[in-house]
């Protein structure tokens, strides 16, 4: 579990930066088209950053598996007790990392669901989830228009001066497939890149040896 937490840390931390950026974009007055463009760029930047990191994680994990495979051969041949490195590449690990990044959203929305069953006005957990994953949720808050009569607070970007319906916050769950697929696919491609490089090296070695 420690492996997944450490590799999901950047994705979780960068959520805050993306949320603040999306919040600032929503404060732009009237220009809906400009909001949409900037929100798309904000989301694209998040995807680019986390996918770049995930791809590198996949590359490193495949290298660990290659090193461990060499050690396993030595263990089989000599019977020596050689400790293997942790963090080997598995194609599904990137998707698990993405799931960990989405864990706060899942937990908050579960709490939100329980609370609104008890009292439909208790939307605090949903509002927090909406803000934290605002890089996606903001696309459903394009109606936010700031004026002199509306305070410029974080809460106003999520709730504005008119409380949202409890069910509206479930739009934030769209962040789950976005994040999980982004990190999972990038991690997988990173591992495949190193795997293809190793195959090319082996092929060259065969040609040089005349096999």
């Amino acid at each position: 579990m420690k492996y997944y937490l450490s590799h999901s840390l950047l994705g979780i931390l960068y959520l805050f930066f993306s949320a603040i950026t999306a919040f600032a974009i929503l404060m732009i007055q009237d220009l809906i088209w400009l909001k949409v463009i900037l929100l798309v760029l904000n989301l694209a930047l998040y995807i680019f950053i986390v996918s770049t990191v995930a791809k590198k994680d996949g590359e490193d994990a495949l290298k660990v598996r290659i090193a461990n495979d060499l050690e396993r051969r030595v263990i089989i041949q000599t019977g020596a007790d050689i400790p293997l490195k942790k963090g080997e590449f598995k194609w599904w690990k990137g998707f698990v990392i993405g799931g960990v990044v989405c864990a706060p959203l899942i937990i908050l929305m579960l709490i939100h669901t329980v609370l609104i069953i008890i009292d439909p006005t208790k939307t605090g957990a949903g509002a927090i989830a909406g803000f934290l994953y605002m890089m996606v949720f903001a696309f459903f808050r394009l109606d936010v228009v700031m004026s002199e009569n509306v305070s410029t607070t974080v809460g106003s970007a999520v709730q504005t001066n008119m409380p949202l319906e409890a069910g509206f916050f479930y739009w934030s769950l769209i962040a789950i497939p976005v994040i999980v697929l982004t990190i999972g696919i990038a991690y997988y491609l990173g591992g495949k890149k190193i795997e293809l490089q190793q195959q090319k090296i082996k092929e060259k070695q065969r040609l040089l040896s005349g096999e």
Side-chain angles (χ1 to χ4, degrees), residues 102-124:
C102 295
L105 174 58
I106 296 170
I107 293 170
L108 285 167
M109 292 310 296
L110 286 174
I111 295 172
H112 172 72
T113 300
V114 173
L115 290 177
I116 64 173
I117 290 173
I118 299 171
D119 183 351
T121 64
K122 300 292 185 181
T123 58

Side-chain angles (χ1 to χ4, degrees), residues 4-17:
Y4 299 109
L5 287 173
S6 62
H7 284 78
S8 64
L9 187 60
L10 178 67
I12 294 174
L13 292 177
Y14 197 70
L15 284 172
F16 290 95
F17 178 80

Side-chain angles (χ1 to χ4, degrees), residues 34-165:
L34 180 58
K35 289 184 181 182
V36 172
I37 292 173
L38 293 177
L39 287 175
V40 169
L41 291 175
N42 183 46
L43 178 58
L45 181 60
Y46 180 86
I47 289 174
F48 172 76
I49 289 175
V50 297
S51 63
T52 300
V53 173
K55 186 172 181 289
K56 183 64 167 56
D57 288 341
E59 293 174 359
D60 293 342
L62 203 287
K63 291 176 182 177
V64 170
R65 193 177 76 180
I66 292 171
N68 282 346
D69 285 343
L70 294 174
E71 297 291 2
R72 289 187 185 98
R73 291 177 185 175
V74 174
I75 293 172
I76 292 171
Q77 292 173 356
T78 65
D81 184 12
I82 302 175
L84 300 176
K85 296 179 180 179
K86 295 182 179 180
E88 284 192 20
F89 176 85
K90 301 289 183 182
W91 69 267
W92 45 264
K93 282 188 175 181
F95 296 99
V96 176
I97 294 170
V100 174
V101 175
C102 295
L105 174 58
I106 296 170
I107 293 170
L108 285 167
M109 292 310 296
L110 286 174
I111 295 172
H112 172 72
T113 300
V114 173
L115 290 177
I116 64 173
I117 290 173
I118 299 171
D119 183 351
T121 64
K122 300 292 185 181
T123 58
I128 294 172
F131 174 73
L132 185 57
Y133 294 82
M134 193 179 279
M135 62 176 187
V136 171
F137 188 70
F139 287 96
F140 304 96
R141 300 302 294 122
L142 292 172
D143 59 318
V144 173
V145 178
M146 300 308 297
S147 67
E148 294 179 358
N149 297 322
V150 181
S151 62
T152 53
T153 64
V154 169
S156 67
V158 179
Q159 291 275 23
T160 67
N161 58 335
M162 295 181 63
L164 296 174
E165 292 184 5

Side-chain angles (χ1 to χ4, degrees), residues 43 47 95 98-99 102 105-106 133 135-136 170-185:
L43 178 58
I47 289 174
F95 296 99
C102 295
L105 174 58
I106 296 170
Y133 294 82
M135 62 176 187
V136 171
Y170 287 103
W171 286 112
S172 61
L173 293 174
I174 293 177
I176 294 176
V178 172
I179 294 173
V180 171
L181 289 175
T182 295
I183 296 177
I185 292 173

